[in-house]
Amino acid sequence: MKKLSARRRHPLAAVVVLLLALLFSGGLYAVFAPTSKAEADETAQSLTIEEGKKLYSVGCASCHGTGGQGTSDGPSLVGVGAAAVDFQVGTGRMPAATSQGPQVPKKKNIYTQAEIDQLAAYIASLGAGPAIPTEEQYGPQGADIAKGGELFRTNCAQCHNFTGKGGALTHGKYAPDLEGVSPKHIYEAMETGPQNMPSFPGTTLSEENKKDIIAYLDAVNSSKSESPGGLELGGLGPVSEGLFGWIFGLGGLIAVAVWVAARTAKAKKS
């Protein structure tokens, strides 16, 4: 007992006990503590990218290359970003048909949204690019419809018509009708510039500007009331209006001229 009591009074005894306690508590924490949220998120993202790579290898690599570097049949996808994938695949434009025309049309989508997210995550891992927008970015809350109409007429109406009905371009290409297109896809199209469309990054059109344009398109395409300007002639703008003027306006003038000439000739005979 005297020897045990002497050891407990040793100057290093307290230090030894403290070290043992720390080792014991640290071991228990390592065994029972849950994985940190950051590690869990990183693992989930890695799995998403891996699944996206598998989908890419099956449905995209034949045209865009095994690493997204591009081939003679498809452009490079390095740096296009997740938003470009979400737009192209979400609207059914990709994968494209084997016999392509001058422009890849919108068609029925063959992927689920979960699969699209996986593809987008993989492409985003190849190089930095525009991310998929959140609902806060393209939602109507706080949007200025009048400002959106002004911006749309300045930047978009030349191709899409001033109400977004679409229009013809050169060499068989066209600007698609924007009625019924989801706000997210409109935002992504402005951000990424698909096919013939120029891109409008934040330096050209801010997030607020894009939201205003989307709100304007929603307003003009979802209105069920009659056109305040009268007969809208399909909403195609000066083309249909000019054609209407030529056919009915000029035609009416010709008819009046013929009628006047006929009455004049008849009067002379009398």
Side-chain angles (χ1 to χ4, degrees):
M1 293 297 292
K2 288 182 180 180
K3 290 181 180 180
L4 183 60
S5 177
R7 288 177 182 174
R8 283 194 314 205
R9 288 196 299 270
H10 194 280
L12 297 178
V15 177
V16 172
V17 172
L18 179 61
L19 289 174
L20 290 173
L22 289 173
L23 288 172
F24 181 74
S25 60
L28 287 176
Y29 180 82
V31 172
F32 296 105
T35 306
S36 67
K37 186 177 184 301
E39 291 176 348
D41 291 343
E42 185 177 348
T43 301
Q45 183 67 8
S46 298
L47 291 174
T48 301
I49 293 172
E50 188 61 32
E51 290 301 316
K53 185 176 181 180
K54 294 176 183 177
L55 291 169
Y56 176 87
S57 299
V58 174
C60 315
S62 59
C63 292
H64 295 285
T66 55
Q69 73 277 10
T71 68
S72 58
D73 295 321
S76 171
L77 299 181
V78 178
V80 301
V85 178
D86 190 73
F87 173 84
Q88 296 285 3
V89 181
T91 59
R93 289 177 168 86
M94 291 290 144
T98 52
S99 56
Q100 297 182 21
Q103 184 168 320
V104 181
K106 178 181 179 181
K107 58 184 185 296
K108 186 177 179 180
N109 177 24
I110 63 172
Y111 290 96
T112 66
Q113 187 58 51
E115 290 172 331
I116 294 172
D117 292 340
Q118 291 168 350
L119 275 170
Y122 171 66
I123 297 302
S125 71
L126 301 179
I132 298 174
T134 63
E135 187 173 355
E136 184 180 353
Q137 291 175 281
Y138 57 76
Q141 296 81 7
D144 186 337
I145 295 176
K147 180 66 173 177
E150 179 184 339
L151 291 167
F152 185 85
R153 288 187 292 273
T154 301
N155 297 281
C156 317
Q158 296 91 334
C159 296
H160 289 282
N161 180 270
F162 67 96
T163 56
K165 298 294 184 182
L169 302 175
T170 58
H171 305 294
K173 299 173 184 178
Y174 59 91
D177 184 356
L178 300 179
E179 185 174 4
V181 180
S182 73
K184 181 178 72 166
H185 289 154
I186 294 176
Y187 189 104
E188 290 170 340
M190 288 189 282
E191 191 75 12
T192 62
Q195 300 188 112
N196 306 297
M197 180 175 170
S199 61
F200 296 91
T203 53
T204 305
L205 287 177
S206 66
E207 181 179 311
E208 290 75 17
N209 292 156
K210 293 184 179 72
K211 179 182 287 192
D212 293 341
I213 290 173
I214 292 169
Y216 165 73
L217 287 172
D218 180 67
V220 296
N221 289 321
S222 64
S223 176
K224 301 302 181 183
S225 61
E226 294 183 3
S227 173
L231 184 62
E232 64 175 10
L233 301 174
L236 298 177
V239 174
S240 58
E241 292 167 0
L243 184 62
F244 184 89
W246 272 95
I247 293 175
F248 293 96
L250 187 59
L253 290 174
I254 293 172
V256 171
V258 170
W259 177 76
V260 170
R263 282 184 59 94
T264 302
K266 185 177 180 181
K268 287 181 178 180
K269 288 180 181 181
S270 300

